[in-house]
Amino acid sequence: METNHRYDKDYEKQYEQHWKKLQQQLKRENMEGFRNEFLDMHSYDQAMFFIEQKKSIRLQIYTYLSPEEIADIMESIDEEEQTRELISEMDPRFASMVLAEMSADNAVDILNEMDKDHIASFLTIMDTSAADEIKHLLHYEEKTAGSIMTTEFIATYKTNTAKQTMQQLKEQAPDAETIYYLYVLDEDKRLVGVLSLRDLIVAPEDTKIERIMMEKVVAVSAGKDQEEIAQMMRDYDFLALPVVDFQDHLLGIITVDDIMDVMEEEASDDYSKLAGVSDMDKPNDTALISVKKRLPWLVILLFLGMFTASLIGRFEETLNQVAVLAIFIPLIAGMAGNSGTQALAVAVRGLANGDYGKQGKMKLVLREASTGFINGVICGLLITLVIYVWKHDIYLGVLVGISIAATLFVATIAGALVPIFMDRIKIDPAVASGPFITTINDIISILIYFSMATLFMKYLI
């Protein structure tokens, strides 16, 4: 641990030294010195230095680096909106060359953040072959296999020998996204097999590819949802996944680094929905943009809250007769919200990961119902004892205890059922957000509590 800590400090110190030297070279306008220092850094560190600079400094850096070198930086920046802003500040012709040097799928991700006029402008002045490749990917619907695949893969024919394929690999490797899998085609260019680099290396040179390839290929259609693809990549432990059309012609591949971006995007999206936000705030968002994202849910919850208030108003007479009941409203409502949110988190995570089939969902509901019942009984008994010691009123204690037990039981079931129902009707389960479930369970808990209070009224007065 001490060695690792020392290593981290050494690396941090080295990074700061690089940073200072780069700034000095820029101030002196020493292009050669800047290039030597900058290109010696890891691409991620280059990207971090680059995005921290003022626009005027970045414009200077554009004149020092080639489009290919800037493209490497762009591909190390995860935030697509940020890369779009960087592309927009470049000279259009230089920007088009940068986009042409990037992996086609990454270039498409950036262009998808722009309006149609900007896209058309860049594609018009871009190298023809790169523009055609990007246009092809732009046709696919966003968040599908076609939109995240890359066409930079290595394919060979099953009739080729290992020697021929190895020569082809050497020629195409510099431009390929990955070389660990080679995809095998028949004479009609249909995907019929896959070959690992290891198997190719150890095979005798005169061996036909069809003899050493794996014939059972797991592939996806171009229209398949990216979230389902992420689950497949996780389940099969693939480094890449081929994308085919309805006739099994190979269109492209999806690599594990693209899937990691998808998983991060989906997790962020689910988290924002669970928080009751339509889209997670970006660092550069203004207050008005944040209001636009958050206000719709708050308005919905406001009216649901008014319904809760009106429900309490219906039991005004009960409250007037036994005012002490008001003390325990926040306790019961809060416990319902907490229990429902716990069940919601378990259900949404399981559905997102594809852990539950039809039988699994029923098993989940039964398990959550049992969990809610046991938790309810234990919490109900505890609060009954506490209230009896505190208020010296066994009936009040039993009332609150039964209400807590019933509320936790119902709220836990609701927390599991709502996302399952939404998944059934093809709505993202994460839309069953924490605030939404909490408000629904407030209504349930108040209804249970005051209904029980009405039954116990003769013992409380």
Side-chain angles (χ1 to χ4, degrees):
M1 288 295 291
E2 187 178 342
T3 304
N4 290 337
H5 182 63
R6 186 165 59 248
Y7 175 78
D8 291 341
K9 281 191 170 182
D10 291 343
Y11 181 78
E12 188 177 334
K13 187 176 180 181
Q14 187 181 22
Y15 181 76
E16 288 176 359
Q17 289 173 348
H18 272 298
W19 190 289
K20 288 178 182 177
K21 287 180 182 178
L22 287 169
Q23 290 175 322
Q24 289 171 359
Q25 303 296 353
L26 288 169
K27 195 173 288 186
R28 296 171 187 165
E29 297 186 357
N30 183 353
M31 184 176 80
E32 186 177 349
F34 174 82
R35 283 181 55 83
N36 291 337
E37 193 71 37
F38 186 77
L39 297 178
D40 189 45
M41 298 170 68
H42 189 278
S43 58
Y44 174 79
D45 293 334
Q46 291 175 357
M48 291 303 99
F49 175 83
F50 186 75
I51 61 178
E52 285 294 323
Q53 305 308 306
K54 296 185 294 185
K55 181 180 177 180
S56 59
I57 299 296
R58 290 199 299 269
L59 292 175
Q60 180 185 357
I61 295 174
Y62 295 139
T63 65
Y64 288 0
L65 300 177
S66 69
E68 184 179 1
E69 290 161 347
I70 293 292
D72 290 338
I73 295 172
M74 293 293 160
E75 294 193 329
S76 296
I77 301 173
D78 292 332
E79 186 57 59
E80 288 158 13
E81 189 173 333
Q82 195 167 43
T83 52
R84 176 184 61 80
E85 292 173 1
L86 294 174
I87 288 289
S88 298
E89 74 185 18
M90 300 178 195
D91 173 80
R93 190 165 295 278
F94 184 82
S96 69
M97 289 190 286
V98 170
L99 289 167
E101 291 291 343
M102 294 178 67
S103 297
D105 56 327
N106 291 334
V108 167
D109 288 340
I110 296 173
L111 290 173
N112 275 329
E113 295 286 326
M114 301 182 176
D115 58 54
K116 292 181 179 179
D117 291 338
H118 278 90
I119 295 173
S121 175
F122 283 128
L123 292 176
T124 300
I125 57 180
M126 193 181 294
D127 175 75
T128 305
S129 61
D132 289 342
E133 193 173 354
I134 289 172
K135 284 178 189 175
H136 177 67
L137 295 181
L138 281 169
H139 290 153
Y140 294 105
E141 189 178 346
E142 199 172 355
K143 295 191 175 183
T144 62
S147 69
I148 60 173
M149 73 181 182
T150 178
T151 53
E152 295 162 341
F153 58 86
I154 298 178
T156 187
Y157 289 97
K158 66 178 185 177
T159 53
N160 287 349
T161 63
K163 182 178 180 180
Q164 290 172 318
T165 303
M166 182 61 76
Q167 183 60 41
Q168 178 189 350
L169 177 62
K170 290 178 181 178
E171 293 170 0
Q172 298 180 6
D175 298 321
E177 185 85 6
T178 179
I179 63 171
Y180 299 110
Y181 294 139
L182 289 81
Y183 298 93
V184 186
L185 311 178
D186 64 11
E187 58 276 5
D188 295 320
K189 296 187 177 180
R190 287 195 292 262
L191 181 64
V192 293
V194 64
L195 178 66
S196 71
L197 178 60
R198 178 189 295 173
D199 290 340
L200 178 63
I201 291 172
V202 300
E205 290 186 343
D206 59 347
T207 306
K208 295 284 186 182
I209 294 300
E210 61 185 337
R211 293 184 59 188
I212 55 175
M213 72 181 188
M214 287 181 60
E215 294 184 4
K216 293 182 179 179
V217 187
V218 178
V220 295
S221 63
K224 197 170 187 67
D225 184 81
Q226 64 178 20
E227 195 168 358
E228 295 178 43
I229 295 167
Q231 291 174 13
M232 288 182 66
M233 295 280 277
R234 182 200 66 182
D235 293 341
Y236 286 95
D237 288 331
F238 285 152
L239 294 176
L241 192 64
V243 181
V244 296
D245 63 14
F246 70 99
Q247 292 181 319
D248 287 334
H249 295 127
L250 184 59
L251 301 175
I253 64 170
I254 300 170
T255 54
V256 68
D257 59 318
D258 293 323
I259 286 301
M260 288 176 68
D261 292 338
V262 167
M263 292 172 74
E264 182 181 354
E265 178 187 336
E266 293 291 342
S268 177
D269 184 53
D270 287 349
Y271 182 78
S272 65
K273 288 172 181 173
L274 281 167
V277 183
S278 60
D279 187 19
M280 190 61 73
D281 291 355
K282 304 292 192 302
N284 297 328
D285 282 354
T286 64
L288 287 176
I289 293 173
S290 295
V291 167
K292 186 178 177 182
K293 292 177 180 179
R294 302 182 195 182
L295 189 59
W297 265 112
L298 290 176
V299 171
I300 292 171
L301 295 171
L302 175 66
F303 282 101
L304 283 173
M306 287 297 297
F307 181 77
T308 306
S310 68
L311 191 63
I312 295 175
R314 287 173 177 265
F315 294 96
E316 187 176 357
E317 186 179 340
T318 303
L319 276 173
N320 287 335
Q321 293 182 45
V322 188
V324 73
L325 292 174
I327 297 175
F328 302 102
I329 293 175
L331 171 67
I332 293 174
M335 290 295 289
N338 292 337
S339 182
T341 302
Q342 287 176 341
L344 171 72
V346 172
V348 169
R349 183 182 182 278
L351 291 169
N353 291 338
D355 293 339
Y356 303 118
K358 190 172 182 180
Q359 297 298 322
K361 291 175 186 175
M362 182 57 64
K363 186 177 179 181
L364 168 67
V365 173
L366 291 174
R367 188 192 71 187
E368 290 302 313
S370 300
T371 303
F373 177 77
I374 295 169
N375 285 339
V377 170
I378 293 172
C379 291
L381 289 172
L382 283 173
I383 198 65
T384 299
L385 180 61
V386 169
I387 292 174
Y388 176 69
V389 173
W390 177 27
K391 295 292 183 181
H392 306 291
D393 189 335
I394 188 62
Y395 294 112
L396 179 63
V398 171
L399 161 63
V400 176
I402 292 174
S403 300
I404 285 281
T407 294
L408 290 188
F409 176 65
V410 175
T412 305
I413 294 176
L417 278 177
V418 169
I420 289 174
F421 172 73
M422 289 194 168
D423 183 61
R424 181 75 177 269
I425 60 176
K426 306 301 180 185
I427 296 177
D428 189 343
V431 174
S433 66
F436 182 74
I437 283 290
T438 300
T439 307
I440 292 296
N441 282 339
D442 282 349
I443 295 170
I444 293 171
S445 62
I446 294 300
L447 192 60
I448 291 172
Y449 181 45
F450 281 107
S451 297
M452 293 300 301
T454 303
L455 293 176
F456 272 74
M457 186 58 64
K458 61 182 180 182
Y459 302 108
L460 298 174
I461 299 175

